[in-house]
Amino acid sequence: MGVISKLAAAVTRSILAVLLASIPAALSAQSSDNPAAIQADPNVAAELTQLPLISTDVFTAPGKMVRPKLSPDGRQMVYREQVDGEKFLTVKGVDQGSAVQIATPKQVRVNWYRWAGNQRILLSLTSKFRLLDNGLRITSLHVFDLSTREFTRLGRRKQPPDGDNVLYVDPDGEYLLLSLQRTLFDYPAVFRIGIADNSIRQTIRSQSSIWRWIADEQGVVRMGISYKHNGINIYYRRSPSGKFKLISKIREKDSDEEREESLLDIAQIVSGSDEGYVLSNKKTGRFALHKFNYQTRKLGEVVLDHPENDITSYQLNNEGTALLAAQYTDSRDRIVWFNDKMKSIQAKLEKAVPGQEVWIQSRSRDNKRMIIFTTSSTDPGSYYLFEPDTKRLHRFGGINDPIDPAKMAETSYIKYTARDGLKIPAYLTLPKGREAKGLPLVIMPHGGPYGVRDTLDYDAQVQFLANRGYAVLRPNYRGSDSYGEDFYERGEGQIGRTMQDDLDDGMDWLVKEGIVDAGRVCLVGSSYGGYAALWGVIRNPERYRCAASFAGVTHWRKQLKYDGKFFKSRHARAWKKKVRGEEDFDLDSVSPAEQAARLKRPVLLTHGDEDGNVPISQFNMMLKAAKKAGANIESKVYKGEGHGLAKRANEKDWYDRLEAFLKKHNPP
C-alpha cells in the first residue's frame, strides 16, 4: 500500500503532520433510517460497473501479525502469526533482535496471552476431552520464559477443567493469583503461584458456595460471590487482614436479581478503598458507569452514560487508584478516556484519520511507547508503533495487506422497523460499482445469539460476498448486545420466533425500497447464525432460495442438555429458560433437525469435528434427517477444526464452497 510506505518514510515528523500528509480521509459510515441515503447517485449510475473479482486467496491471506502487545518496558512485543499454515506466538524486539517463536500443541486453542514482567508470557489454552461424540473443554494456564526458552504449565498437576481463572498478575512477573478447585467436587480457593517455579501457596481457602473471587489492582482479594439454589450471597472485606463478611443477599425471587448479578460481573474496586465502579442498568434500563461503595452497596453518581447504548466495559489505571477509560458501541466501537493526556492523544489521532477507528491497543508502563491499531469497514487494519514524546509513528504490520481498501464495499449503519414496531439496527453492505436497485441479497445473522452484536469492523466474509455482487444485511436482531435491557429482553424466549421475524422484516424493508430483488435472497451464518439460516429456509421457503450454515445449532433440546455440562445448575436453568421461553413451548418445533421433512430449499451444511461449543452431533443429526427427507443438501466436515476455521486452507475451502453454492442457487 503506497500510503503506508509514505507514512513509514516520515517517521521523524510530528504525528499530526504525518497522518494528514500521508493518509487520505476515509469515507465515513452512513447512519440513516432513510434508504435514499444509501442508494447510488442516479447521475453516475449508468457509469457504474462491477469491479473485477478478487481472489479467495486474497480474502483469506494470513496476516503477518495479530494483536501485538508491548512488554512493560516497551522493548519487546508478542503477537500471533501464521507461518506456512502453522500458527505461532512470536516475540520480537521492538528496536532490534531476532524473533522467538512459541509453538503450542496443535490440539489446543490459544484463548489469550499477556506479559508477566518483561521476560515471561502467560498463555491460556483450551483443549478438548472427547466423550463419545461430545466433549469437555479444559482450560489451562502456561508460561513461556524467554530467558530459559522453557514452556511450563502453571497450577496444580491434577486440576478440574477451569484452570486459567487469573485474578491478578504481579507487575514484575514474579507471581499471580489463581482461583482453582482442588477437585470437581470442591469450591475454588485462591492460590499464589510463583511464575518462575510454579510454587503454590493457598491464600484464600475455599468456602461454601463461593464460586467467584474478585481482587483489586494491588492483588488483594476483596470479594467473594456465592451462588446458591435460591440466590446470591456477597462477601466483602476492606483489607488483606480483614475477614469476609456477608454484606448482601439477592434472592432468586427478587425482581432485580439478574441486574445485580450483571452488575457484579463487571465490578472493580479501587485499591485501598471501599469505593469502586460498576456498570448498572437500574436507573434507565441501559448500562451506565457508576461510582459504587462496596461496604454500603450504595450506587453512586453516574460517571458515563449513553442515550441509546450500554457502556460495555471500563478500566482503572495500573495502580488501581483511578478510572482510566470506558468503552461503548453505537454504530462502531468507541473509547472515552478520563486521563487528559490519553484523551489528547486519542483526539489527535481520530482527527487525523476521519472515518477510521483508532485504538491505543497496548502501552508500555511509562506510556513512552504505544501500539496503535487503525481499521474501518473497508480496511482490515494496520499496526503502528507510536512514541508520544518524539511524535514518531511507524507502521510495522497489518491484518491482511493484500486487501486494497479502495476496492472494498462501504458499509452503512441503518435501522428498520420490525412488524411489532421495534427499531432494528443493522449493517448494510452494497456491492461496489453496482446501482443499489434489484440486487441479490444475503442475510447474515450473527452468532450468540444473546450478548453479542455485529459492529462496523471489517468483515472479510461480508466483503467477499459484496465483491461477488451481493448486498449483505447483518441485523442486530432483538436480544443483541449493548442496546439496553428492553431490547435484550425482547429476545428472550424468542429463538425461532420474533428473533427470526426480525430477519424477515429486514428483507421486506430492502425489497420495499427497491434495493434488493425479493426473489433472490439467501441466508448465511455460523453458530446461532447458522441455525437462523437453516430455520429460515424451513420456516419460510417462499422467502429464501437457499441457506448456508457453519457450526449451526440444529436441535435445541439436545444442545441445551450439552450446554448444561458447562453451567452451574442454577445458570443452566436460566439459560434454558432464556432460550425456550414459556415452559410449555416445544423446542422441537423450531429445531431444524426435527423439522427437516419441511426442508424444500438447498442447504450447505458444514461443521468442525472438534467443535466444543456446538458439537458435531448437531451436524450429524441434521444431515441424517435431511437425507431421510430427500432434501437437497451439500455437506462438509472440517477435520481438526473447532467453532471457527483456524486453518487457512479450510477457510479458503469454505469461501470457495460458499461462492459455488450461492452462484448455483442464487446467482449474482
Side-chain angles (χ1 to χ4, degrees), residues 133-173:
D133 60 348
N134 292 328
L136 292 174
R137 288 159 286 183
I138 300 174
T139 59
S140 55
L141 187 66
H142 302 254
V143 62
F144 184 82
D145 192 310
L146 291 169
S147 59
T148 63
R149 305 293 173 90
E150 292 182 353
F151 193 75
T152 306
R153 177 170 173 169
L154 297 177
R156 303 175 64 85
R157 179 174 297 180
K158 294 182 179 180
Q159 61 188 33
D162 186 10
D164 66 342
N165 190 10
V166 176
L167 307 182
Y168 172 79
V169 179
D170 167 47
D172 294 326

Side-chain angles (χ1 to χ4, degrees), residues 647-659:
K647 300 174 183 177
R648 184 193 179 194
N650 288 338
E651 185 180 20
K652 183 180 182 303
D653 181 81
W654 159 251
Y655 276 54
D656 288 338
R657 285 177 185 273
L658 180 61
E659 179 180 14

Side-chain angles (χ1 to χ4, degrees), residues 372-586:
I372 309 299
F373 179 63
T374 66
T375 187
S376 72
S377 66
T378 59
D379 186 347
S382 296
Y383 293 110
Y384 301 88
L385 181 68
F386 176 48
E387 297 175 335
D389 292 348
T390 61
K391 298 185 172 72
R392 180 177 183 266
L393 186 74
H394 172 64
R395 184 185 190 274
F396 62 85
I399 299 296
N400 187 348
D401 286 350
I403 290 290
D404 181 357
K407 295 180 180 179
M408 297 295 102
E410 222 180 314
T411 297
S412 301
Y413 184 61
I414 54 94
K415 293 180 181 179
Y416 59 87
T417 304
R419 65 192 67 181
D420 63 356
L422 184 64
K423 288 285 187 179
I424 305 298
Y427 293 92
L428 178 62
T429 306
L430 301 179
K432 194 176 182 68
R434 294 188 65 174
E435 184 180 4
K437 183 178 180 181
L439 295 169
L441 173 67
V442 170
I443 297 179
M444 188 181 295
H446 63 70
Y450 303 109
V452 181
R453 60 163 286 174
D454 277 318
T455 68
L456 201 61
D457 292 350
Y458 174 87
D459 187 301
Q461 188 166 263
V462 169
Q463 292 293 342
F464 174 76
L465 292 173
N467 180 254
R468 267 55 185 169
Y470 298 96
V472 182
L473 179 70
R474 291 178 294 155
N476 280 331
Y477 46 80
R478 66 193 67 205
S480 296
D481 190 40
S482 84
Y483 290 103
E485 183 179 28
D486 178 67
F487 192 87
Y488 182 88
E489 289 184 345
R490 284 185 182 231
E492 294 184 342
Q494 293 302 317
I495 284 177
R497 288 152 275 176
T498 58
M499 291 171 77
Q500 199 76 25
D501 292 342
D502 291 344
L503 309 185
D504 297 347
D505 294 344
M507 168 191 166
D508 289 345
W509 177 76
L510 290 170
V511 170
K512 181 180 177 182
E513 299 302 333
I515 297 172
V516 305
D517 182 344
R520 305 168 69 196
V521 184
C522 286
L523 291 152
V524 176
S526 60
S527 193
Y528 173 83
Y531 158 77
L534 292 172
W535 182 235
V537 293
I538 293 174
R539 189 180 89 146
N540 295 108
E542 76 282 359
R543 284 180 169 272
Y544 303 109
R545 298 180 66 157
C546 61
S549 168
F550 173 78
V553 175
T554 69
H555 198 296
W556 280 110
R557 185 162 41 85
K558 293 184 178 181
Q559 179 65 37
L560 289 176
K561 184 177 180 180
Y562 175 79
D563 290 341
K565 299 176 182 179
F566 310 108
F567 286 113
K568 302 175 184 68
S569 60
R570 178 177 170 278
H571 291 167
R573 292 196 303 271
W575 172 238
K576 183 176 181 180
K577 181 180 178 181
K578 184 175 294 186
V579 171
R580 182 194 61 212
E582 300 86 357
E583 288 190 13
D584 60 349
F585 183 79
D586 182 9

Side-chain angles (χ1 to χ4, degrees), residues 268-315:
Q268 292 192 47
I269 307 170
V270 172
S271 300
S273 168
D274 289 328
E275 300 295 324
Y277 299 90
V278 293
L279 297 178
S280 173
N281 64 0
K282 275 190 170 183
K283 294 188 176 181
T284 65
R286 298 181 309 277
F287 279 101
L289 180 60
H290 290 257
K291 289 185 176 180
F292 191 75
N293 186 292
Y294 286 89
Q295 182 69 18
T296 65
R297 287 197 47 76
K298 287 186 177 180
L299 196 65
E301 66 180 89
V302 175
V303 180
L304 183 65
D305 194 8
H306 188 276
E308 295 183 6
N309 297 96
D310 294 326
I311 308 302
T312 51
S313 61
Y314 66 98
Q315 297 83 41

